[in-house]
Amino acid sequence: MKPDFSGPDSHGHFGIYGGRYVAETLMPLILDVERAYDAAKKDAEFQRELDYYFTHYIGRPSPLYFASRITAHCGGAKIYFKRDELNHTGAHKINNCIGQGLLAKRLGKKRIIAETGAGQHGVATATVCALFGLQCVVYMGAKDIERQTPNVFRMKLLGAEVVPVYSGSKTLKDAMNEALRDWVTNVHDTFYLIGTAAGPHPYPAMVRDFQSIIGREVREQMHKAEGRLPDTLVACIGGGSNAIGLFHPFIAEPGVAMIGVEAAGHGLDSGQHAASIGRGQPGVLHGARSYLLQDKNGQVQDAHSISAGLDYPGIGPEHAWLHDTKRVEYVSATDDEALNAFQAVSKLEGIIPALEPAHALAHVLKIAPKLPKDHLLVVNVCGRGDKDIFTVAKALGVEL
C-alpha cells in the first residue's frame, strides 16, 4: 500500500509523528487556533488578504534564477536558485508570519510571542507586528543573540522586546521552551507565532501551508523556463519550514527527487551537530513526536551548527514521516562545507547566502557534477547572508 502523504489526520498525525503533547492549560487555545485556521482556509476574504500581502508587501513571487556560473563551475546539472532571500526581511520566514499574523488578528489577539534562532523569524514576526499594530515579544537564546547582533537590533528597531534566554544551550531549543512557558501564562491575550514546521498540531501543517507558496511558484516558474518539472529539489533542514514549503507541492510527483540537508556541525560522529534524522531517535519535543537528538535516557541533547537557524535538536514531524516512507532523502553538510559553499556562491554568483541555505548549496556542489547536463536542480536560497558576516569572518579568522 502506498503511503498517504495528504496528512496530517484529524489529530495532527503524519503516520506515527506529530500530535499534540501540551499542557492541559494550552489545549483550549490550541483548539481555538485549529478552528480559526480551518475557517480561514475556507474564507475567500482571508485568502485575498494573504495574496495581497504576499504580492505587495513581501514582494512575491520571488525569482527562480538560473545560476549559470555555479552550473559551469560544477560542470553537471543545470542549477536554479529559488531566491526567497529577496523577500522583504531577507528570508522565507515572512511568508508564514504574514499568514499567522492575519490569523492572530482574526482571533482578536493583541500580543504576539515568538522564538528565534538566526533572528530571521524574530525579524519577520516583529515586522508583521509593526504592520498590524500588535505587541511583540521575541525569545532568543543568549548565544544566538551574540552571533546574530544585526538581527537583534533590527527587531528592536521594529518595536519588539527581545528576551534573552540563558538556560540550557542558550539557543533555539531553549528559546522555544521559554515561549511555551509564556504562552501557558498568558493564554487570554497572546498568540504564539511558531516559526518552523514543528510544535503541536495544527502548527506543522499550518506553517507548511503558508510556506508552500515557494513550491507552487517553482512549479509555475520551471514550466515557464524549461517546459517541465524539475528533477531534484534541495533545501536545508533545521525545523524544516523552508524545505517543506518547497517540497510539499511536489510530493505527489514521483519523478521529482527531494533532498533535505541537515547540519552536520563538526561531523556526525563528533557529538557536535544538529542532524536529528541522521543521528536522532523518535521522541517528543515541543508538543509533537518526531526525530530528535537524545541520550540513552531520553534526555534532549544539545545541538551544534555554525548556523543559528539550524542549531535545533529536533525536526518537523512531516519530515520524520517523509524520511521513514523514503519519499525524501535526508543528508547532512558540515560547518566547513557550508563555509566553503558560502564563499563559492558569493564569488561566482554575486549572491551572499545565509549560512542555513549554504548547507543546501554545499550538497548541490557535491552532487551537481555527477548529474547529466539536462538534469534540472532547484535549491532554495531561503535567506541572505548579511546577518552572518560576523560569524563567517570569525570562522575564517578575518578581523572586522
Side-chain angles (χ1 to χ4, degrees), residues 328-376:
V328 176
E329 179 187 4
Y330 293 88
V331 298
S332 61
T334 65
D335 288 352
D336 287 344
E337 288 169 333
L339 279 167
N340 289 337
F342 181 99
Q343 294 172 86
V345 172
S346 297
K347 290 171 182 174
L348 287 169
E349 290 291 351
I351 296 168
I352 303 175
L355 280 170
E356 289 78 20
H359 286 71
L361 289 160
H363 191 69
V364 167
L365 293 175
K366 193 180 295 183
I367 64 171
K370 304 170 189 173
L371 295 168
K373 294 193 176 186
D374 62 349
H375 190 100
L376 302 179

Side-chain angles (χ1 to χ4, degrees), residues 35-290:
R35 280 190 290 267
Y37 180 56
D38 286 344
K41 283 190 289 187
K42 300 167 189 168
D43 185 346
E45 177 58 25
F46 181 86
Q47 191 59 53
R48 185 201 65 75
E49 202 170 2
L50 187 63
D51 290 344
Y52 171 83
Y53 286 110
F54 274 178
T55 303
H56 299 289
Y57 193 73
I58 298 175
R60 304 208 69 92
S62 63
L64 183 68
Y65 165 69
F66 170 50
S68 59
R69 288 190 22 93
I70 281 287
T71 296
H73 172 77
C74 291
K78 196 169 183 181
I79 300 166
Y80 281 87
F81 290 176
K82 180 56 174 166
R83 299 203 56 195
D84 253 42
E85 95 281 3
L86 292 178
N87 293 340
H88 179 44
T89 72
H92 68 292
K93 294 292 187 180
I94 191 75
N95 304 325
N96 168 56
C97 289
I98 286 284
Q100 287 197 52
L102 290 172
L103 198 64
K105 282 178 61 183
R106 196 180 179 99
L107 283 163
K109 303 296 182 181
K110 303 295 184 187
R111 180 175 180 268
I112 303 293
I113 58 171
E115 83 297 329
T116 196
Q120 288 301 125
H121 176 59
V123 169
T125 301
T127 298
V128 167
C129 287
L131 175 66
F132 295 150
L134 303 169
Q135 182 186 353
C136 182
V137 178
V138 178
Y139 289 91
M140 191 171 188
K143 180 180 175 182
D144 291 338
I145 285 176
E146 284 180 16
R147 56 182 174 174
Q148 296 294 333
T149 307
N151 274 344
V152 175
F153 187 57
R154 290 169 77 196
M155 284 182 263
K156 291 179 178 178
L157 278 176
L158 291 160
E161 177 189 355
V162 180
V163 180
V165 177
Y166 295 97
S167 59
S169 59
K170 305 176 189 176
T171 57
L172 182 57
K173 165 182 69 73
D174 313 291
M176 199 165 185
N177 288 341
E178 288 305 315
L180 283 165
R181 289 188 187 103
D182 183 312
W183 202 19
V184 170
T185 309
N186 299 288
V187 292
H188 59 290
D189 68 343
T190 296
F191 184 96
Y192 183 10
L193 205 163
I194 293 180
T196 193
H201 179 64
Y203 281 96
M206 182 166 63
V207 174
R208 174 201 70 194
D209 292 348
F210 289 136
Q211 292 293 1
S212 287
I213 185 68
I214 300 169
R216 293 199 302 273
E217 287 177 2
V218 168
R219 285 187 72 108
E220 187 176 324
Q221 290 167 325
M222 189 55 85
H223 269 295
K224 189 174 180 182
E226 299 282 354
R228 65 181 181 89
L229 294 175
D231 296 300
T232 301
L233 307 173
V234 184
C236 64
I237 297 270
S241 64
N242 95 87
I244 204 67
L246 176 63
F247 296 164
H248 188 66
F250 295 92
I251 292 290
E253 302 288 353
V256 180
M258 291 174 256
I259 304 171
V261 186
E262 296 189 294
H266 296 312
L268 292 183
D269 297 323
S270 69
Q272 292 184 291
H273 60 78
S276 303
I277 285 181
R279 286 293 186 273
Q281 297 291 329
V284 174
L285 177 66
H286 296 143
R289 188 171 195 263
S290 189

Side-chain angles (χ1 to χ4, degrees), residues 198 237-240 262 274 276 285 290-293 300 303 310 312-316:
I237 297 270
E262 296 189 294
S276 303
L285 177 66
S290 189
Y291 279 90
L292 60 134
L293 300 178
V300 179
L310 302 185
Y312 182 65
I315 196 161

